[in-house]
Amino acid sequence: MKRLLSGILAAMAIIVLAACGSDDELPVKDMEKPTISNDNDSYPQNCQVFNRGEVVPFRCTFKDNIELGSFNVEIHNNFDHHSHSTSAGDCETDPKKTPLKPWVYNSSEKIPAGRQLYKVIIDIPIPTDIDPGDYHFMVRLTDKTGWQELKAVSIKIK
């Protein structure tokens, strides 16, 4: 009986050890935020001026060490001169004003699975009937595991 019990325990130990595998098989933990390119090829640039009826060209490159997930683009007025603390510098602003017909743009997109690099080229039409003035252009990039990066620039619409 002791021999049978010892054999069963030995077999169970072998099965448990085999199921554990080696550390090489464990998935890599993602401990890094994704990045949004911040170079001269990225648009819009901080303090850039656009006209109603034109487009805001959105051009940038997203990168992640493991896998990208999705991104969101938001454009909203800055008539009250609030800050998101991510822009490259202060721009000359119009006087504060109450919005009558401000532009609000919000769009989210999933990035194709398995991508560590993704280039964005989107032209966003500016409505002709919106309030001109100071606006923020914000990009939120989220990787597959939930890390997020935010970039905001100030733009002006005339």
Side-chain angles (χ1 to χ4, degrees):
M1 181 74 173
K2 275 187 174 183
R3 186 175 244 176
L4 179 62
L5 186 58
S6 295
I8 291 172
L9 287 175
M12 287 176 57
I14 291 171
I15 290 170
V16 168
L17 289 173
C20 290
S22 70
D23 286 344
D24 294 339
E25 296 173 7
L26 294 176
V28 176
K29 280 193 174 186
D30 187 355
M31 301 303 291
E32 294 180 34
K33 294 191 303 184
T35 60
I36 301 169
S37 63
N38 195 19
D39 53 33
N40 291 334
D41 292 332
S42 299
Y43 292 100
Q45 295 284 325
N46 200 47
C47 304
Q48 198 165 2
V49 178
F50 300 96
N51 294 309
R52 291 177 285 180
E54 295 181 347
V55 299
V56 175
F58 177 37
R59 312 281 189 267
C60 77
T61 302
F62 300 142
K63 294 179 186 175
D64 189 63
N65 62 319
I66 306 291
E67 184 176 354
L68 293 164
S70 62
F71 69 95
N72 171 269
V73 176
E74 178 187 334
I75 302 171
H76 62 266
N77 78 76
N78 186 23
F79 300 163
D80 62 356
H81 299 171
H82 66 273
S83 172
H84 294 284
S85 301
T86 65
S87 58
D90 293 329
C91 305
E92 186 177 320
T93 55
D94 294 341
K96 289 183 180 183
K97 66 180 182 180
T98 302
L100 299 175
K101 192 167 183 186
W103 183 27
V104 178
Y105 176 88
N106 197 324
S107 177
S108 296
E109 288 191 36
K110 289 198 176 289
I111 296 171
R115 304 290 295 269
Q116 290 178 300
L117 178 76
Y118 190 71
K119 293 187 182 234
V120 178
I121 299 174
I122 300 172
D123 287 329
I124 302 168
I126 303 169
T128 57
D129 61 346
I130 61 165
D131 290 339
D134 302 309
Y135 284 83
H136 283 146
F137 185 99
M138 298 179 60
V139 179
R140 289 176 185 87
L141 173 63
T142 307
D143 71 12
K144 190 72 172 178
T145 57
W147 289 101
Q148 190 176 82
E149 182 63 28
L150 170 70
K151 180 179 178 184
V153 296
S154 296
I155 62 173
K156 188 176 295 287
I157 310 259
K158 293 193 175 233

